[in-house]
Structures are given as C-alpha cells and as structure tokens.
C-alpha cells in the first residue's frame, strides 16, 4: 500500500529533483576526520562578509525579539538611491532563491511554459515544477546561452524566460548584440528574468545588464543578491528590480516577514561598504588570472569566466577527481550534475586557497 505522501501529496512534488548543495565543511570534517578544509564549492566570498555588516549584526543583539520591517523600508530606500529609481521598483527576498519562488507563484500555473538554459541555475526548473508549469531547457552552445534557440522555443504558452548572466555553472555571459536581437520584438506578455547574481564580478566591458531593458519599460526583472560579493550567503537576502506593476503583483504572494531583521540590517551595512566590494572584486580578478595561468600550464581546458568560479575540464571522471580533492581537504562541485562528467566547478578563493587547490589538483590528476 502506498504511503501517506504518495496517496495525498500534490502530484507536482513528484516531478521535483532535490537540490544538491555544496558539501558543508563540517560534514567533510566529520566524515573524513580531517581539519583545515577549504570550500570552493558554493561561490561564497573567501574574504567573508563585509566588516561593516558584521559590526551591524553585532550591534543588534538587543533587538532580536522584534519583528522585522515587513516592507524593508530602509533597505529599499538605499537601493532606490543606488539605482536612482523609486522604491516601488524593488522587491526583497530571503535570498534570490525566494524571489525565484515568488515569481513562479505569481505567474506560473499548469498551462504555462518556462524557458531557461541548460546547464544553468537549477532553481528555475525546480520553482517551475513546483507550480506544475512546463519546462523547456535549451542547451548551451559553446558553454553560452543560445538566445536564438531560446527565442525559437517560445510558444503561446511561454510565460517566463530566465537568463542567467553570468551563467552558473559556466561563468559565461551573453553579448550585447545577442541580447538586443533576443529582446527585439519579444512579446510584452513574457517576463524576462535576468539572474545577475554575479553582476559585481563582471569585468567584460561588453556586458549588458537587464537594467537597460527595465529603463526602456520592458517587462523584465533583474535579480541581484547579497550572497556572493557581499559575503552574506548565510543570512539569506537578495533583491529584484522590476516595474512597479510586477513588483506589486509579486508582493501579493510574499509573506509579510519574509526578510529577517538581521538580514535587513546586514544588507544595509554591506551596501555602504564599497571598499569590501572592491577588495573582493580585485582579489577575484587576480585569482582568476592566476588559475588561468596554472590551468594553461597543466594543459587543462576551462570556460572563460565573468564570475567568481571557473568551470574546468579535468579530462577524468569528475567524481574521482572530487574524492581525491576532498581527501586533501578541498571541496569543489562536480560537473556531472550539470551534464559534464569530466568537469568541475571551482570557486575562486584567496591566493593561498587557489595555490592549494592547484597543488591538490595536480596530485589528484597524477595519482
Ligand atoms: C548563488 C546564486 C543565486 C543566489 O541565491 P541566494 O538565494 O540569493 O543566495 C541566484 N542565482 C544564481 C545563478 C546563483 O548562482
């Protein structure tokens, strides 16, 4: 006899594949009994959170009994100033993951289709399937979004198109021209979501943000997060920038206290710490070129990245490489989950971490 869940749960949940997160440091310590582990698996900031954010959190211990501001008034005010837009353009979430869920809950039902690239951030599929929507995953071409094929995939049922730019797990971006052709003549009844979680790391002057289309009055949503360059992944906060109409729609499904008090205060402080952002960005750029050099010397192929991680081809079974790196205390992400069984995705770390990663990788590949 089928179990309770099988008999009673919404059918949609059986289509879901659970998210595979990067292995936590404590888990590796427990399992392998080793110390001094470095995690280069989840694109966290190796410098940690902004010192100003840490100080803000330390200073709020006496307020923890209070409910947070439901409207994130001060944070929205600061974002409004930063982007020179009215506060009604912003929506704040418990990480941009929550915003992806809210977008789905607002717009997707069983008859609707969603288009995204593959491999890309897995949450687009997850959030669509939860709502019973149809998924159209369009393969990358040369590790980049194939915007022509994505546009061809549009039907009368298409509701949302996700463009992850830079793309996770490849670090690649779409060009201005590709984006221009893509947006040209696109239906007004399709929401284009630009997931720009790695925006602050982009160094390519040819990069075009989705913000440009928002300014043109198009129906787009730009997602940014405090989890990556701001180093606040653990407190969970991200934001979306869109039209007041779309923001108001999404606000209908949002829980009143979705963004906690600590996260709001930390984000406000982090936004004001441009020094930490600059430092993190520079460290990442130096690390990127160091890793490029070393990988070139080892004769390994990689995808050029505009983010804080590198997708590289080890030429061997990625699970084996993963385990050999793990045994040396280095956690990375395997490419098999993205459809690339010899690839790994490695977060760019501090100088010392990058050196240790390269030394460990050499050992892993030689063994
Ligand atoms: C890390 C990441 C996010 C951020 O998620 P949060 O929920 O804000 O931590 C969003 N999109 C992509 C593509 C990411 O890699």
């Amino acid at each position: 006899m089928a179990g309770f869940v099988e008999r009673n749960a919404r059918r949609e949940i059986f289509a879901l594949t659970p998210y595979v997160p990067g292995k936590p440091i404590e888990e590796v310590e427990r399992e392998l009994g080793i110390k001094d582990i470095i995690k280069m698996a989840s694109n966290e900031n190796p410098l940690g959170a902004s010192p100003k954010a840490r100080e803000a959190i330390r200073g709020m211990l006496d307020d923890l009994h209070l409910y947070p501001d439901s409207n994130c008034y001060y944070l929205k005010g600061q974002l409004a100033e930063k982007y020179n837009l009215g506060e009604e353009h912003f929506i704040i979430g418990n990480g941009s993951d929550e915003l992806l869920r809210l977008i789905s809950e607002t717009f997707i039902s069983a008859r609707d289709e969603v288009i995204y690239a593959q491999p890309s951030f897995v949450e687009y599929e997850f959030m669509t399937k939860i709502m019973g929507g149809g998924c159209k995953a369009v393969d990358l071409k040369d590790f980049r979004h194939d915007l022509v094929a994505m546009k061809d995939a549009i039907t009368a049922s298409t509701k949302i198109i996700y463009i992850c730019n830079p793309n996770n797990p490849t670090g690649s971006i779409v060009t201005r021209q590709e984006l221009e052709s893509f947006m040209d003549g696109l239906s007004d009844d399709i929401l284009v979501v630009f997931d720009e979680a790695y925006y602050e790391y982009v160094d390519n002057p040819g990069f075009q943000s989705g913000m440009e289309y928002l300014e043109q009055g198009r129906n787009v949503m730009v997602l940014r997060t405090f989890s990556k360059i701001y180093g606040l992944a653990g407190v969970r906060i991200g934001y979306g920038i869109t039209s007041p109409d779309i923001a108001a729609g999404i606000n209908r499904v949002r829980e009143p206290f979705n963004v906690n008090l600590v996260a709001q205060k930390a984000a406000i402080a982090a936004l004001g710490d441009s020094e930490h952002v600059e430092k993190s960005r520079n460290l990442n750029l130096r690390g990127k070129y160091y890793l490029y050099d070393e990988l070139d010397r080892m004769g390994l192929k990689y995808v050029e990245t505009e983010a804080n991680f590198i997708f590289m081809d080890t030429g061997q079974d990625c699970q084996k490489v993963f385990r050999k790196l793990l045994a040396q205390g280095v956690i990375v992400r395997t490419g098999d989950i993205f459809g690339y069984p010899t690839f790994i995705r490695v977060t760019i770390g501090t100088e010392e971490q990058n050196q240790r990663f390269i030394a460990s990788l050499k050992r892993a590949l030689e063994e």
Side-chain angles (χ1 to χ4, degrees):
M1 168 116 182
F4 182 83
V5 170
E6 211 177 317
R7 282 180 280 123
N8 295 290
R10 292 170 65 234
R11 294 297 98 189
E12 287 84 353
I13 76 159
F14 298 106
L16 302 175
T17 354
Y19 183 75
V20 189
K23 230 172 157 50
I25 289 176
E26 286 85 357
E27 193 178 306
V28 180
E29 282 178 350
R30 268 197 318 272
E31 288 176 359
L32 298 182
I34 49 177
K35 289 273 170 211
D36 190 26
I37 287 159
I38 51 172
K39 185 175 173 202
M40 302 171 89
S42 302
N43 308 336
E44 293 140 336
N45 187 333
L47 294 180
S50 138
K52 288 190 178 163
R54 294 184 202 209
E55 199 181 298
I57 291 177
R58 246 181 249 118
M60 60 180 303
L61 294 178
D62 291 340
D63 296 330
L64 295 179
H65 59 296
L66 300 171
Y67 275 102
D69 172 14
S70 165
N71 189 39
C72 297
Y73 179 82
Y74 291 105
L75 177 57
K76 278 190 191 169
Q78 208 168 325
L79 288 168
E81 205 169 299
K82 176 181 165 80
Y83 289 96
N84 198 22
L85 283 170
E87 285 154 31
E88 65 282 6
H89 286 272
F90 296 90
I91 175 126
I92 319 292
N94 184 38
S96 35
D97 277 1
E98 190 203 12
L99 294 172
L100 292 170
R101 181 187 278 263
L102 296 180
I103 291 166
S104 254
E105 287 175 348
T106 306
F107 294 108
I108 301 303
S109 46
R111 293 171 305 281
D112 301 322
E113 270 174 12
V114 172
I115 298 173
Y116 49 81
Q118 178 148 313
S120 188
F121 196 44
V122 293
E123 294 295 292
Y124 313 141
E125 176 186 322
F126 187 85
M127 300 307 179
T128 305
K129 284 187 172 170
I130 281 189
M131 300 311 297
C135 294
K136 272 197 180 170
V138 177
D139 284 344
L140 299 181
K141 193 172 164 188
D142 296 331
F143 298 102
R144 302 176 52 246
H145 276 62
D146 185 348
L147 289 183
V148 174
M150 286 174 77
K151 200 170 182 179
D152 283 344
I154 294 172
T155 68
S157 306
T158 305
K159 268 284 180 67
I160 296 178
I161 302 177
Y162 288 101
I163 299 179
C164 187
N165 195 32
N167 187 45
N168 180 2
T170 53
S172 53
I173 59 169
V174 295
T175 68
R176 184 179 293 266
Q177 221 156 36
E178 287 165 341
L179 212 46
E180 287 289 303
S181 322
F182 176 82
M183 292 300 291
D184 187 37
L186 194 78
S187 161
D188 230 18
D189 285 315
I190 296 175
L191 175 66
V192 181
V193 178
F194 292 90
D195 186 345
E196 299 182 355
Y198 301 97
Y199 169 78
E200 295 85 355
Y201 288 108
V202 173
D203 195 43
N204 188 326
F207 179 81
Q208 172 152 302
S209 163
M211 288 302 290
E212 203 144 320
Y213 301 103
L214 184 64
E215 283 152 22
Q216 291 171 17
R218 306 292 300 269
N219 290 322
V220 303
M221 160 83 75
V222 176
L223 296 179
R224 303 249 168 108
T225 180
F226 288 97
S227 295
K228 304 292 154 62
I229 208 159
Y230 292 101
L232 293 172
V235 304
R236 314 300 305 129
I237 183 163
Y239 59 100
I241 319 164
T242 185
S243 69
D245 172 39
I246 294 170
I250 293 173
N251 247 320
R252 288 170 168 268
V253 301
R254 183 178 68 83
E255 285 176 55
F257 303 115
N258 65 324
V259 183
N260 74 73
L261 189 75
V262 177
Q264 291 188 39
K265 283 274 163 54
I268 290 167
L271 264 186
D273 194 350
S274 49
E275 195 184 318
H276 187 66
V277 170
E278 207 39 42
K279 204 166 139 187
S280 306
R281 191 180 142 80
N282 289 334
L283 178 77
N284 188 67
L285 278 178
R286 285 198 305 277
K288 164 162 108 173
Y289 290 111
Y290 165 77
L291 290 171
Y292 281 0
D293 279 349
E294 293 294 328
L295 295 172
D296 285 341
R297 255 190 283 247
M298 293 167 73
L300 296 184
K301 292 216 164 51
Y302 53 86
V303 184
E304 287 199 14
T305 183
E306 293 296 333
N308 66 341
F309 53 85
I310 303 186
F311 198 49
M312 58 185 78
D313 189 356
T314 66
Q316 300 185 16
D317 171 10
C318 67
Q319 283 291 344
K320 272 191 194 148
V321 177
F322 170 79
R323 282 194 299 271
K324 286 177 179 173
L325 287 172
L326 202 59
Q328 300 174 76
V330 180
I331 315 174
V332 301
R333 205 58 158 267
T334 56
D336 49 0
I337 52 171
F338 305 115
Y340 291 85
T342 60
F343 278 67
I344 54 174
R345 191 196 67 192
V346 181
T347 305
I348 300 168
T350 60
E351 211 174 307
E352 196 187 343
Q353 290 173 343
N354 295 333
Q355 287 167 0
R356 186 165 146 202
F357 162 71
I358 288 292
S360 306
L361 182 63
K362 281 180 180 161
R363 240 170 275 138
L365 296 181
E366 277 161 14
E367 269 170 28

